[in-house]
Amino acid sequence: MPLCAAVLAGAGVTRCTSCATLSGAVGTENPCCFSHAGPGSASVGRLLHYKGKCLFFQKYYCNRKLKNTLGTCLEIRRYVIKLISALGTLEAERKYESLLNCLSHPPAFTTVRVNTHLASVKQVKNLLFEEIHKQFKGLSVPVLRHPELQDILLIPVIGPRKDLQKQSSEVIVGAQCGNSVLRGAHVFVPGIISASKFMKAGDVVSVYSDIEGKCKRGAKEFLGTKFFIGNGISELSRSEIFSSSGSLKGIGVRMTDPVYLSPSLDNVLSSYLFLQNLPSAVVSHVLNPQPGERILDMCAAPGGKTTHLATLMHDQGEVIAMDKIANKVKKIKQNAALLQLNCIKAFCCDGTKALAIGKREDGQEGPPFSAESFDRILLDVPCSGMGQRPNMAYSWTLKEVTSYQPLQRKLFSMAVKLLKPGGILVYSTCTVTLSENEEQVAWALETFPCLQLQSQDPHIGGEGMRGAGLSLDQLKLLQRFDPSSVTLQGMDVNSLQDSREEDLILLANKDCIGFFIAKFIKLNSK
């Protein structure tokens, strides 16, 4: 049975937690590798294969909360149905399998945005090349400048590296920490869940991600399902990590041989660089803020796009950043200070309550704001995050996923009210679902006749996906970054040296996180 058909018939979509492959749920029982046959697989049910890919049959989890499901059945089935309708069964099958596989691996490039407010791109590119050469012990890895995003630098990711030798001493980290390690981070102490009984500072250890969340904190041994993410050197002993009276911070394991080799940029050129996924950097360019304008970033934390907008405006004008969580607002302010940007004003506010009902007080800077008081608005909404990569542990429930569309519409309605006539509104998400992307655009155009879709510059992603009732011309105005549009092939130093720069840039445009952008202009007040 084809994978798409299996999903439509009721099968779930899960990841083999030993080999990290993704698939549907029909096939024959057959372990991928010897590690599946041990106690690590006993607690999670039968292992099944489909077209040579390992998977779990979700129906065996019907009475418990599934911890490593990639998305909910409903959203996945809707996605499959739309794919088949738009592409036909065979092409939908290929695209669907490609998407699932891509989401379990990190993007092919580390993307950094240069703070052009403080330094030139050329200067930072040279400094970054020297840092990478030092970290990679002489390996020749280029730093590329994006031709359409002049403030963006791209660093190829080497991996997956399959020749790493696993060590007897092990460290188990949480899934979120594991995802960060796959993107180039070291292991920080709060992310460590378990360590081998006799681990000492200076030991070479193998690091594993507990993608099911089954490991107990402080365990001396973990026989459950775990995913190998590389080797490193322990900075602390086991007793120092788990016996401390206070909460330790800082690096717990310094990664020396990760499965995916990316530079660690913690505290590296911190005033000059900002780590940012490629599509996230595209958004600010699409909004195209101008010096002297009043800009609103409605859901701004942690401030990557906020600081990018301020930089593009040459720190002239006003960028209002909002988030409803106080600690996140604090982070926005810290990032603004670090990058020495003075036009940013951050406020703790629920975006759905940002409109002033009556007259504002004299001299009031913060929310609520007067109607039609912003030249441009960025609405990077809270979403299901089904485009984030890598995703080794997706644990949200159906109720959580379906809660986003109503919230997004409330925020969108508020943004329209706050936007001046002639103003620009950019809507974006980091998810692949139709319900949060194209369907929201169709709803917006029907609900607000004053809005009109606009072309985007730069436009380096694909066009929108069919199935939401939008015309072909409207779909061309949208920008969807679809990881399934490129075949995962991995990268090593030899293949990197043989590649042309233009081919690498093209790969970077495609092999990134899943993302969506729509740009509107408000024609009048009605």
Side-chain angles (χ1 to χ4, degrees), residues 198-210:
F198 299 108
M199 187 185 79
K200 304 182 300 297
D203 282 356
V204 178
V205 298
S206 284
V207 181
Y208 294 82
S209 178
D210 171 27

PDB file of all heavy atoms in Angstrom, residues 198-210:
ATOM      1  N   PHE A 198      30.267   6.377  36.180  1.00  0.00           N
ATOM      2  CA  PHE A 198      31.605   6.811  36.595  1.00  0.00           C
ATOM      3  C   PHE A 198      32.155   7.936  35.715  1.00  0.00           C
ATOM      4  O   PHE A 198      33.372   8.115  35.623  1.00  0.00           O
ATOM      5  CB  PHE A 198      32.566   5.613  36.577  1.00  0.00           C
ATOM      6  CG  PHE A 198      32.156   4.504  37.515  1.00  0.00           C
ATOM      7  CD1 PHE A 198      31.650   3.310  37.016  1.00  0.00           C
ATOM      8  CD2 PHE A 198      32.242   4.672  38.887  1.00  0.00           C
ATOM      9  CE1 PHE A 198      31.268   2.280  37.872  1.00  0.00           C
ATOM     10  CE2 PHE A 198      31.860   3.661  39.747  1.00  0.00           C
ATOM     11  CZ  PHE A 198      31.373   2.465  39.242  1.00  0.00           C
ATOM     12  N   MET A 199      31.299   8.692  35.057  1.00  0.00           N
ATOM     13  CA  MET A 199      31.765   9.755  34.171  1.00  0.00           C
ATOM     14  C   MET A 199      32.496  10.846  34.958  1.00  0.00           C
ATOM     15  O   MET A 199      32.005  11.337  35.968  1.00  0.00           O
ATOM     16  CB  MET A 199      30.585  10.376  33.420  1.00  0.00           C
ATOM     17  CG  MET A 199      31.018  11.385  32.351  1.00  0.00           C
ATOM     18  SD  MET A 199      29.608  12.210  31.570  1.00  0.00           S
ATOM     19  CE  MET A 199      29.220  13.435  32.826  1.00  0.00           C
ATOM     20  N   LYS A 200      33.691  11.200  34.462  1.00  0.00           N
ATOM     21  CA  LYS A 200      34.496  12.242  35.087  1.00  0.00           C
ATOM     22  C   LYS A 200      34.670  13.395  34.107  1.00  0.00           C
ATOM     23  O   LYS A 200      34.502  13.236  32.894  1.00  0.00           O
ATOM     24  CB  LYS A 200      35.873  11.697  35.479  1.00  0.00           C
ATOM     25  CG  LYS A 200      35.852  10.478  36.392  1.00  0.00           C
ATOM     26  CD  LYS A 200      37.254  10.040  36.770  1.00  0.00           C
ATOM     27  CE  LYS A 200      38.110   9.653  35.568  1.00  0.00           C
ATOM     28  NZ  LYS A 200      37.582   8.488  34.834  1.00  0.00           N
ATOM     29  N   ALA A 201      35.040  14.550  34.634  1.00  0.00           N
ATOM     30  CA  ALA A 201      35.376  15.680  33.770  1.00  0.00           C
ATOM     31  C   ALA A 201      36.562  15.293  32.898  1.00  0.00           C
ATOM     32  O   ALA A 201      37.533  14.702  33.370  1.00  0.00           O
ATOM     33  CB  ALA A 201      35.711  16.901  34.610  1.00  0.00           C
ATOM     34  N   GLY A 202      36.497  15.594  31.604  1.00  0.00           N
ATOM     35  CA  GLY A 202      37.558  15.258  30.664  1.00  0.00           C
ATOM     36  C   GLY A 202      37.338  13.962  29.918  1.00  0.00           C
ATOM     37  O   GLY A 202      38.081  13.647  28.988  1.00  0.00           O
ATOM     38  N   ASP A 203      36.326  13.185  30.321  1.00  0.00           N
ATOM     39  CA  ASP A 203      36.032  11.927  29.613  1.00  0.00           C
ATOM     40  C   ASP A 203      35.464  12.207  28.231  1.00  0.00           C
ATOM     41  O   ASP A 203      34.697  13.154  28.023  1.00  0.00           O
ATOM     42  CB  ASP A 203      35.009  11.102  30.391  1.00  0.00           C
ATOM     43  CG  ASP A 203      35.610  10.378  31.581  1.00  0.00           C
ATOM     44  OD1 ASP A 203      36.836  10.469  31.754  1.00  0.00           O
ATOM     45  OD2 ASP A 203      34.849   9.740  32.328  1.00  0.00           O
ATOM     46  N   VAL A 204      35.841  11.349  27.269  1.00  0.00           N
ATOM     47  CA  VAL A 204      35.208  11.371  25.947  1.00  0.00           C
ATOM     48  C   VAL A 204      33.899  10.587  26.059  1.00  0.00           C
ATOM     49  O   VAL A 204      33.901   9.437  26.501  1.00  0.00           O
ATOM     50  CB  VAL A 204      36.125  10.756  24.878  1.00  0.00           C
ATOM     51  CG1 VAL A 204      35.424  10.748  23.516  1.00  0.00           C
ATOM     52  CG2 VAL A 204      37.437  11.528  24.794  1.00  0.00           C
ATOM     53  N   VAL A 205      32.809  11.199  25.696  1.00  0.00           N
ATOM     54  CA  VAL A 205      31.491  10.580  25.890  1.00  0.00           C
ATOM     55  C   VAL A 205      30.699  10.616  24.584  1.00  0.00           C
ATOM     56  O   VAL A 205      30.922  11.463  23.722  1.00  0.00           O
ATOM     57  CB  VAL A 205      30.675  11.306  26.989  1.00  0.00           C
ATOM     58  CG1 VAL A 205      31.392  11.208  28.330  1.00  0.00           C
ATOM     59  CG2 VAL A 205      30.420  12.756  26.616  1.00  0.00           C
ATOM     60  N   SER A 206      29.785   9.669  24.445  1.00  0.00           N
ATOM     61  CA  SER A 206      28.824   9.705  23.346  1.00  0.00           C
ATOM     62  C   SER A 206      27.539  10.333  23.865  1.00  0.00           C
ATOM     63  O   SER A 206      27.081  10.032  24.969  1.00  0.00           O
ATOM     64  CB  SER A 206      28.543   8.291  22.820  1.00  0.00           C
ATOM     65  OG  SER A 206      29.612   7.824  22.033  1.00  0.00           O
ATOM     66  N   VAL A 207      26.960  11.208  23.051  1.00  0.00           N
ATOM     67  CA  VAL A 207      25.760  11.942  23.452  1.00  0.00           C
ATOM     68  C   VAL A 207      24.567  11.410  22.669  1.00  0.00           C
ATOM     69  O   VAL A 207      24.639  11.231  21.446  1.00  0.00           O
ATOM     70  CB  VAL A 207      25.930  13.451  23.216  1.00  0.00           C
ATOM     71  CG1 VAL A 207      24.680  14.208  23.650  1.00  0.00           C
ATOM     72  CG2 VAL A 207      27.160  13.974  23.963  1.00  0.00           C
ATOM     73  N   TYR A 208      23.485  11.148  23.397  1.00  0.00           N
ATOM     74  CA  TYR A 208      22.265  10.611  22.787  1.00  0.00           C
ATOM     75  C   TYR A 208      21.083  11.505  23.155  1.00  0.00           C
ATOM     76  O   TYR A 208      21.030  12.069  24.252  1.00  0.00           O
ATOM     77  CB  TYR A 208      21.980   9.190  23.285  1.00  0.00           C
ATOM     78  CG  TYR A 208      22.990   8.154  22.868  1.00  0.00           C
ATOM     79  CD1 TYR A 208      24.183   8.004  23.593  1.00  0.00           C
ATOM     80  CD2 TYR A 208      22.782   7.335  21.769  1.00  0.00           C
ATOM     81  CE1 TYR A 208      25.122   7.056  23.225  1.00  0.00           C
ATOM     82  CE2 TYR A 208      23.709   6.379  21.400  1.00  0.00           C
ATOM     83  CZ  TYR A 208      24.879   6.233  22.125  1.00  0.00           C
ATOM     84  OH  TYR A 208      25.809   5.291  21.759  1.00  0.00           O
ATOM     85  N   SER A 209      20.127  11.581  22.241  1.00  0.00           N
ATOM     86  CA  SER A 209      18.899  12.338  22.500  1.00  0.00           C
ATOM     87  C   SER A 209      17.788  11.387  22.926  1.00  0.00           C
ATOM     88  O   SER A 209      17.519  10.383  22.273  1.00  0.00           O
ATOM     89  CB  SER A 209      18.479  13.096  21.233  1.00  0.00           C
ATOM     90  OG  SER A 209      17.278  13.786  21.441  1.00  0.00           O
ATOM     91  N   ASP A 210      17.149  11.722  24.042  1.00  0.00           N
ATOM     92  CA  ASP A 210      15.998  10.947  24.539  1.00  0.00           C
ATOM     93  C   ASP A 210      14.745  11.499  23.857  1.00  0.00           C
ATOM     94  O   ASP A 210      14.022  12.312  24.415  1.00  0.00           O
ATOM     95  CB  ASP A 210      15.908  11.084  26.057  1.00  0.00           C
ATOM     96  CG  ASP A 210      14.625  10.489  26.626  1.00  0.00           C
ATOM     97  OD1 ASP A 210      14.076   9.562  26.005  1.00  0.00           O
ATOM     98  OD2 ASP A 210      14.169  10.984  27.684  1.00  0.00           O
TER      99      ASP A 210
END
